[in-house]
Amino acid sequence: MEKTEIFNKVQAIIMEQLDKSANEVTMTTNFKGNLNADSLDVFEIINEIEDEFDVKIETDKEIATVSDLVDFVAKQIA
């Protein structure tokens, strides 16, 4: 699966969870800084990502941006 496909799915999950538009969720978007996501929001997004891609994301893994999350998923499913 290409990063573009991963990003599109990740973006859709984030948009749904946080009620954001596509232009608010880009590869450089920071969860806390740009989306005002709290730890519960990030936890819920990570749970959705784990279910969607059948991967395990350790909670201590530092994922600050959408790009961090997409890169992590890409490595896990490669």
Side-chain angles (χ1 to χ4, degrees):
M1 182 179 290
E2 293 186 22
K3 280 191 179 182
T4 306
E5 291 177 83
I6 296 169
F7 169 72
N8 289 338
K9 289 183 178 187
V10 168
Q11 182 188 45
I13 290 168
I14 295 168
M15 287 167 44
E16 181 181 330
Q17 286 288 330
L18 300 178
D19 195 29
K20 300 292 181 182
S21 65
N23 65 342
E24 292 176 287
V25 183
T26 66
M27 287 291 278
T28 59
T29 299
N30 183 289
F31 288 105
K32 292 185 170 84
N34 300 118
L35 299 176
N36 298 319
D38 62 23
S39 55
L40 180 59
D41 292 327
V42 173
F43 177 78
E44 290 174 346
I45 290 166
I46 286 175
N47 279 341
E48 288 283 326
I49 298 295
E50 288 177 333
D51 291 345
E52 177 69 31
F53 294 99
D54 194 28
V55 297
K56 181 68 179 147
I57 301 172
E58 299 299 326
T59 53
D60 62 341
K61 176 79 178 148
E62 192 60 42
I63 296 177
T65 67
V66 174
S67 179
D68 293 339
L69 185 54
V70 170
D71 290 342
F72 182 83
V73 170
K75 288 177 190 167
Q76 294 297 309
I77 63 176

